[in-house]
Amino acid sequence: MASRLVLVLADLFIPDRAIFKKLLTPGKIGQILCLGNLTSPSVYAFLRQLAPDLQLVKGDFDIPLAAAAAPVQGQNASGAQAGAASEAAFPIPTALSKVVTHGSLRIGFTHGDTILPPGDPDALLVAARQMDVDVLCWAGTCRFEAYEMEGKFFINPGSATGAVSWLDETLGSEEDGVGDGDGTVPSFVLMDVQGDVLILYVYQLRKDAEGKETVGVDKVSFRKNAAGT
């Protein structure tokens, strides 16, 4: 099977800060795995035109809108309802986890808010074994991680918009960087699977001492059953 790029991203929350849009163009990505907390119809529409295969799982903030917007004065009710419907026209995912297969790798993905303790390596290993996957992608911490453990590969793409997780113990303190505009480092990952090898490209938005933003790209590789070869 020919390889195709798989975009993995999560915890978007703030559509106005979707800073990587210029890097992501239609025709280059075969599948998107969104690990929850999409929350925005505009971002959903962007992802739908970016790749033909968009897979969603439910995050802890993926909830239906409570009510349609009230009509604006001078606008008829039907027009207001149609506008509200188009603005809210994206499916709220109900699946807590899914599994896809690329090459010889089974890749599971979940938001991770049901895995306790959150982000705990042993708890994630148990989840990976229960899902019978070689690779487990999870989210919720808004910080990038990637590591191997007992023959499995674990990936957290971070937040594509640099949102801050409520799990962050430094939230609201001077360490979280919110006051000086730094916040969490925005990030997403691209996976290129060829047979039993996964090449992970990590995109992160960094600021230098002068506040200039640049996108850094790092590469991490994983081979299935590498310990036995």
Side-chain angles (χ1 to χ4, degrees):
M1 179 184 296
S3 65
R4 59 174 180 167
L5 291 176
V6 180
L7 170 64
V8 185
L9 73 176
D11 295 315
L12 292 106
F13 287 118
I14 313 166
D16 292 342
R17 291 170 63 184
I19 49 180
F20 292 113
K21 282 186 176 182
K22 292 182 180 179
L23 297 176
L24 301 171
T25 56
K28 295 183 178 180
I29 296 170
Q31 185 178 62
I32 299 173
L33 309 183
C34 182
L35 312 187
N37 293 338
L38 179 60
T39 68
S40 168
S42 63
V43 176
Y44 174 79
F46 170 74
L47 296 179
R48 283 293 297 169
Q49 60 87 29
L50 187 62
D53 187 358
L54 172 58
Q55 298 289 330
L56 306 172
V57 291
K58 186 178 185 299
D60 49 351
F61 285 91
D62 285 320
I63 56 177
L65 297 178
V72 178
Q73 186 175 2
Q75 182 182 29
N76 62 55
S78 60
Q81 290 173 355
S86 62
E87 191 64 18
F90 75 106
I92 303 298
T94 57
L96 297 179
S97 63
K98 290 184 179 180
V99 176
V100 295
T101 300
H102 290 278
S104 64
L105 298 179
R106 283 174 54 83
I107 302 170
F109 58 105
T110 180
H111 181 258
D113 55 295
T114 59
I115 298 176
L116 299 174
D120 178 74
D122 290 329
L124 289 166
L125 180 60
V126 170
R129 288 171 172 168
Q130 290 175 339
M131 297 172 68
D132 189 24
V133 295
D134 306 296
V135 179
L136 179 62
C137 303
W138 92 100
T141 66
C142 296
R143 296 184 184 276
F144 165 75
E145 288 185 69
Y147 60 88
E148 291 186 48
M149 183 176 181
E150 297 194 19
K152 299 185 183 297
F153 193 39
F154 297 87
I155 303 168
N156 186 326
S159 167
T161 58
V164 179
S165 171
W166 63 271
L167 295 171
D168 190 346
E169 295 181 353
T170 67
L171 184 62
S173 70
E174 294 182 356
E175 298 177 43
D176 71 2
V178 173
D180 59 16
D182 292 333
T184 306
V185 175
S187 60
F188 69 87
V189 303
L190 285 172
M191 298 190 298
D192 183 8
V193 180
Q194 302 181 37
D196 61 355
V197 176
L198 184 155
I199 302 174
L200 186 73
Y201 297 93
V202 185
Y203 291 75
Q204 294 181 303
L205 186 74
R206 298 286 186 179
K207 286 185 180 181
D208 61 18
E210 299 177 353
K212 182 180 178 181
E213 294 182 338
T214 57
V215 177
V217 184
D218 296 310
K219 185 170 74 171
V220 183
S221 298
F222 167 75
R223 180 185 293 273
K224 182 178 179 180
N225 297 326
T229 59

